């Protein structure tokens, strides 16, 4: 196995770094370090942990220039998107510095009398974290911050495409006062080798994974052998619904964010636009005018460009029409912002996660039929609804099978809100109180209470 692997800049196709290639031995050494650090970290007072997390928030936010430049160079996203990601990723440390000290449990009487029940929350133990390349900072901090708040130590495997950001964050955490061994990053170009070493290690008690449904399913199967505590943040196929009376300017602005942030490489990216037939021509004209001018950031690699292009070609061969495309530079792994109409409901373009800057528009007129189409998907992560009347928006939102719905908004992510999906989009939630509970086990004491 090569001792290092290259990291590319998707905008130039140039190699920007060579990173040591982690092996099973290094994976185990990382668990050794996490195991050594665990007792002290778990026993550290919540306030002391909180203050370290707060310092981590401050250091990450203060380092925005360097961190965002690193994200742009290895992931390709625009400077604005990278800066937004740095602030979003720092917020997880701020939020969980505040949650770390909210340690309440429960105290109650048993119904039969004579005993008391005390409920508490213990750190789950050493947690293995596996993250994707599309948000190299935020997907790591969304796991590290609650894990540390709960008193866990962690081993983290970033995506091979974007290991540099995770390594830079680990350095900032040391500077913030996180003790050695609490956070251990193992980059590798052999993910199965490293992650299998962790899943088979008796000391690892938790797997928190963000990535594709396909890999998540395989890791769930592996985790079943040790009945491992798992959290899964998987793929999506978000619908973006527009009713006849929606504010179209707002809907276009929301659609631009929901579709083109990160060039469409977001699990929450709008994948299918369901537009009411009374406004579909108007929407396509206005959305298309914005797309004509939109210069997107590159996709992550040449394979991603080939995959997106294949989905579009197939839809066009099946009768869809490309109505608008944006400009792209001559070099780099780019695919233009693209708007299509007349897409067949069974097309792969609307059934699979596109993960690129392509917007298929489907015209609807009957709400029940539209909702049946929206819900005819194995995914259920995010969706969006734009409607003139809030009661219509909420009725439609409540009928959509998804963990998160943007109502008259094109973005749902918020560290204080429970992020996650239903169906094959995942198990569990990140962010909010739920994200902390994901790194805790509930324990109760049944107490004989003489005199009760
Ligand atoms: P991916 O599943 O290919 O990779 C995710 C991680 O798993 C990477 O670290 C990768 O190295 C690792 N991995 C790959 N094969 C593995 C194996 N056999 N054993 C162990 N680890 C393995 O996903 P990706 O291409 O990096 O990211 C894109 C996907 O992530 C999309 O499907 C997207 O929707 C999803 N995603 C979901 C969320 C969410 O919160 N639900 C957030 C971001 C991305």
């Amino acid at each position: 196995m090569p001792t290092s692997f290259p990291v590319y800049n998707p905008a130039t196709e140039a190699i920007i770094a060579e990173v040591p290639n982690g092996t099973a031995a290094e994976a185990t050494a990382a668990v050794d370090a996490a195991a050594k650090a665990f007792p002290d970290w778990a026993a550290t007072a919540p306030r002391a942990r909180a203050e370290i997390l707060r310092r981590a928030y401050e250091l990450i936010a203060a380092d925005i220039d360097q961190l965002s430049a690193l994200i742009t160079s290895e992931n390709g996203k625009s400077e604005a998107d990278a800066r937004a990601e740095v602030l979003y990723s720092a917020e997880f440390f701020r939020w969980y510095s505040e949650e770390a000290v909210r340690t309440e449990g429960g105290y109650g009487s048993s119904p039969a009398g004579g005993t008391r029940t005390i409920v508490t929350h213990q750190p789950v133990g050493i947690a293995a974290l596996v993250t994707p390349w599309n948000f190299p900072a935020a997907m790591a901090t969304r796991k590290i911050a609650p894990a540390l708040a709960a008193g866990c130590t962690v081993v983290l495997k970033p995506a091979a495409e974007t290991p540099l950001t995770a390594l830079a964050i680990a350095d900032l955490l040391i500077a913030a006062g996180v003790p050695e061994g609490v956070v251990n990053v193992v980059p590798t170009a052999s993910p199965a080798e490293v992650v299998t070493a962790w899943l088979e290690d008796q000391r690892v008690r938790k797997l928190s994974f963000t990535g594709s449904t396909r890999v998540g399913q395989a890791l769930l199967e592996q985790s079943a052998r040790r009945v491992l505590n798992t959290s899964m943040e998987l793929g999506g196929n978000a619908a973006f619904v527009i009713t006849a009376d929606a504010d179209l300017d707002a809907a276009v602005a929301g659609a631009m964010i929901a579709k083109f942030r990160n060039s469409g490489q977001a699990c929450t990216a709008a994948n299918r636009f369901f537009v009411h037939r009374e406004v579909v021509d108007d929407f396509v004209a206005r959305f298309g005018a914005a797309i004509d001018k939109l210069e997107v950031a590159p996709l992550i690699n040449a394979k991603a460009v080939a995959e997106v292009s294949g989905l579009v070609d197939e839809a066009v061969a099946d009768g869809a029409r490309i109505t608008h495309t944006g400009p792209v530079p001559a070099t780099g792994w780019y695919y233009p912002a693209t708007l299509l109409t007349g897409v067949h409901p069974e097309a792969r373009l609307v059934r699979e996660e596109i993960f690129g800057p392509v917007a298929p528009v489907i015209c609807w007129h009957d709400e029940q039929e539209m909702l049946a189409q929206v819900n005819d998907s194995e995914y259920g992560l995010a969706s969006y609804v734009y409607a003139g009347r809030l009661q219509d928006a909420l009725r439609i939102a409540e009928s959509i099978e998804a963990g998160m719905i943007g109502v008259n908004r094109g973005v749902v992510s918020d560290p204080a809100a429970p992020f996650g999906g239903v169906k094959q989009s995942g198990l569990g939630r990140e962010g909010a109180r739920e994200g902390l509970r994901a790194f805790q086990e509930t324990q109760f004491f049944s107490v004989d209470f003489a005199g009760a």
Side-chain angles (χ1 to χ4, degrees):
M1 194 166 96
T3 54
S4 69
F5 64 94
V7 179
Y8 295 89
N9 180 334
T12 62
E13 306 180 22
I15 293 175
I16 52 170
E18 284 282 340
V19 175
N21 195 5
T23 60
E26 274 133 20
T28 300
V31 180
D32 294 343
K36 193 159 167 247
F38 179 69
D40 281 353
W41 183 247
T44 300
R47 173 64 70 203
R49 289 202 299 260
E51 282 176 358
I52 292 172
L53 296 180
R54 172 74 198 199
R55 183 93 188 106
Y57 157 70
E58 283 159 7
L59 291 186
I60 294 173
D63 203 34
I64 185 165
D65 292 346
Q66 280 88 339
L67 270 180
S68 61
L70 196 55
I71 293 173
T72 296
S73 67
E74 66 175 351
N75 167 282
K77 69 178 65 178
S78 69
E79 187 189 335
D81 280 350
R83 293 183 78 84
E85 183 183 347
V86 171
L87 294 179
Y88 175 53
S89 61
E91 281 299 334
F92 287 102
F93 284 101
R94 176 151 66 168
W95 169 262
Y96 284 108
S97 75
E98 292 157 353
E99 283 297 287
V101 290
R102 315 266 174 256
T103 58
E104 72 273 13
Y107 183 90
S109 298
S110 67
T115 62
R116 295 288 182 270
T117 300
I118 299 173
V119 179
T120 187
H121 303 282
Q122 302 283 7
V124 64
I126 298 172
L129 316 178
V130 180
T131 53
W133 48 262
N134 65 339
F135 288 88
M139 296 304 94
T141 65
R142 197 165 75 179
K143 298 182 190 304
I144 297 171
L148 269 49
C152 297
T153 57
V154 304
V155 290
L156 165 70
K157 194 208 77 58
E161 294 83 351
T162 57
L164 305 176
T165 304
L167 291 168
I169 286 175
D171 287 345
L172 287 173
L173 294 181
I174 295 286
V178 172
E180 203 185 318
V182 170
V183 175
N184 307 277
V185 181
V186 183
T188 182
S190 308
E193 178 179 332
V194 165
V195 176
T196 298
W198 289 343
L199 299 183
E200 291 179 352
D201 192 316
Q202 297 295 327
R203 297 169 296 175
V204 172
R205 304 291 288 276
K206 166 93 197 178
L207 169 65
S208 178
F209 172 79
T210 299
S212 63
T213 296
R214 184 184 59 80
V215 173
Q217 285 163 333
L219 296 183
L220 273 173
E221 279 182 31
Q222 265 185 287
S223 301
R225 290 179 213 147
R226 289 187 46 237
V227 195
L228 208 59
N229 180 324
T230 53
S231 295
M232 293 278 147
E233 294 287 348
L234 307 177
N237 183 7
F240 193 107
V241 177
I242 299 173
T243 64
D245 66 350
D247 174 340
L248 278 195
D249 286 333
V252 169
M256 292 301 286
I257 298 169
K259 180 69 253 182
F260 296 111
R261 191 166 60 112
N262 235 7
S263 287
Q265 301 171 111
C267 52
T268 52
N271 221 47
R272 311 171 278 162
F273 289 83
F274 290 88
V275 188
H276 193 276
R277 73 176 171 199
E278 281 175 25
V279 292
V280 69
D281 291 343
D282 201 359
F283 175 76
V284 167
R286 294 197 212 182
F287 193 30
I291 286 173
D292 282 339
K293 296 189 291 250
L294 182 70
E295 209 171 291
V296 287
L299 301 187
I300 189 70
N301 52 33
K303 185 164 163 264
V305 176
E307 278 171 7
V308 172
S309 159
L311 288 176
V312 172
D313 293 349
E314 217 177 284
V316 168
D318 218 13
R321 194 167 74 85
I322 295 177
T323 61
H324 297 79
T325 51
V328 279
T331 53
W333 294 314
Y334 288 90
Y335 191 87
T338 302
L339 184 59
L340 292 102
T341 56
V343 182
H344 194 279
E346 292 300 318
R348 280 206 305 133
L349 186 65
V350 291
R351 300 204 69 84
E352 295 181 11
E353 191 176 31
I354 302 171
F355 242 56
V358 175
V361 172
I362 298 159
C363 178
W364 68 273
H365 63 279
D366 178 89
E367 188 175 303
Q368 291 311 315
E369 271 175 33
M370 176 272 290
L371 285 170
Q373 263 183 295
V374 165
N375 289 331
D376 180 21
S377 170
E378 282 309 322
Y379 292 111
L381 191 64
S383 276
Y384 306 87
V385 181
Y386 275 78
R389 299 187 327 148
L390 192 58
Q391 56 265 55
D392 292 336
L394 288 178
R395 186 185 60 253
I396 293 171
E398 287 185 4
S399 305
I400 295 179
E401 295 165 359
M404 303 173 281
I405 317 270
V407 176
N408 292 333
R409 291 201 68 203
V411 62
V412 291
S413 306
D414 179 343
F419 189 106
V422 303
K423 301 203 267 188
Q424 292 188 27
S425 287
L427 291 172
R429 296 291 181 270
E430 291 190 323
R433 177 59 61 88
E434 282 95 330
L436 180 68
R437 290 282 182 257
F439 289 97
Q440 294 174 321
E441 292 285 10
T442 302
Q443 183 181 42
F444 91 91
F445 313 131
S446 180
V447 183
D448 189 355
F449 192 69

